[in-house]
Amino acid sequence: MHVLILGGTSEARRLADVLAADPALRVTSSLAGRVAQPRLPAGEVRIGGFGGPEGLAAWLRAHAVDALLDATHPFAERISRNAALAAAGTGTPLLALRRPSWEAREGDRWHPVPSLAAAAEALPGLGTRVFLTTGRQGIAAFAHLDGLVFLARSVEPPVAPMPAVTEVLLERGPFTLDGERELLRAHRIEVLVTKDSGSAATAPKLTAARELGLPVVVVERPPAPAGVRTAPDVAGAADWVRRLAG
């Protein structure tokens, strides 16, 4: 049984590790290629785009894929949509692995917004020293904001445009609570901006912000494609594959 995992997340790597250990399964992970030195999962790996839903559908047919797993980032809206269209067009069973959203706790000062553009609109008045953790492709949404000082953290170097005053930290999670506390204090951060990735690897910043009483602008996830079955964790996704395999 050939399983294609649309990956790039820690869950996708763990899922590939679990499934590749089953001799009855052939596992291929597809990575977008946006990271120069990605952490490679077990099994076969392909890197690069497919060319839209039609290209993905053609790949599914050409490589006799029996099951498609969308384990991309919760904000990878385009590839998730393409996966749904390609699966429907080819009759390939599809499951989306989606980690649960973060939930606000007592003491949190969250400001939920529907988009990066809305996050930029919300910033003035919340603070002037901003910790931006939206990924390198999200920084451009804040480029027009003057009078604010940004600390932007990403795995890969961001590209222009960027805010006029921006310090870039090139770091990859997981991050520790002690490390996040020290980072916020050392840079005198007044407001945090993040996407609701739901990742445990990056959640310590939320705890650190809560302890310091900082406001947090949280960009809400885009809606998942209609009609797509989901699993909240690796175990659930692996069970789905095993049921298909019989």
Side-chain angles (χ1 to χ4, degrees):
M1 180 176 174
H2 189 190
V3 180
L4 175 62
I5 301 174
L6 305 178
T9 61
S10 58
E11 289 89 350
R13 288 190 297 275
R14 293 201 301 271
L15 180 59
D17 289 343
V18 171
L19 297 181
D22 188 336
L25 301 176
R26 174 190 172 194
V27 179
T28 301
S29 294
S30 177
L31 307 180
R34 295 192 180 97
V35 177
Q37 295 181 322
R39 296 173 179 172
L40 297 181
E44 302 173 30
V45 178
R46 70 171 300 279
I47 296 178
F50 290 96
E54 297 83 5
L56 176 54
W59 203 95
L60 296 176
R61 294 189 188 98
H63 295 268
V65 173
D66 300 293
L68 178 60
L69 285 155
D70 174 13
T72 57
H73 193 277
F75 284 81
E77 188 173 8
R78 179 181 299 176
I79 187 60
S80 293
R81 182 174 62 250
N82 290 349
L85 292 171
T90 59
T92 306
L94 168 65
L95 178 82
L97 172 54
R98 288 291 178 265
R99 64 180 80 124
S101 292
W102 287 321
E103 294 185 3
R105 297 174 54 182
E106 184 177 355
D108 282 325
R109 297 175 57 197
W110 286 11
H111 298 261
V113 293
S115 66
L116 288 170
E121 291 181 6
L123 274 182
L126 291 178
T128 58
R129 301 186 66 85
V130 183
F131 184 26
L132 200 57
T133 64
T134 57
R136 65 169 182 167
Q137 294 180 311
I139 297 176
F142 304 86
H144 64 286
L145 294 176
D146 296 323
L148 302 181
V149 176
F150 287 87
L151 176 68
R153 184 166 66 191
S154 63
V155 176
E156 295 286 313
V159 296
M162 290 191 295
V165 183
T166 303
E167 179 181 350
V168 176
L169 286 180
L170 299 181
E171 295 181 334
R172 186 200 300 264
F175 301 103
T176 66
L177 179 54
D178 285 342
E180 298 294 63
R181 286 169 175 153
E182 177 58 28
L183 182 69
L184 296 181
R185 292 192 181 101
H187 290 270
R188 295 179 288 122
I189 297 300
E190 298 174 357
V191 56
L192 167 66
V193 182
T194 186
K195 292 179 176 179
D196 175 21
S197 71
S199 172
T202 57
K205 64 189 174 187
L206 300 174
T207 302
R210 182 189 314 121
E211 292 176 350
L212 293 173
L214 302 182
V216 181
V217 179
V218 181
V219 181
E220 298 171 321
R221 297 180 180 184
V228 174
R229 183 189 300 268
T230 63
D233 52 32
V234 169
D239 285 345
W240 177 80
V241 171
R242 295 187 185 107
R243 288 196 298 271
L244 283 179

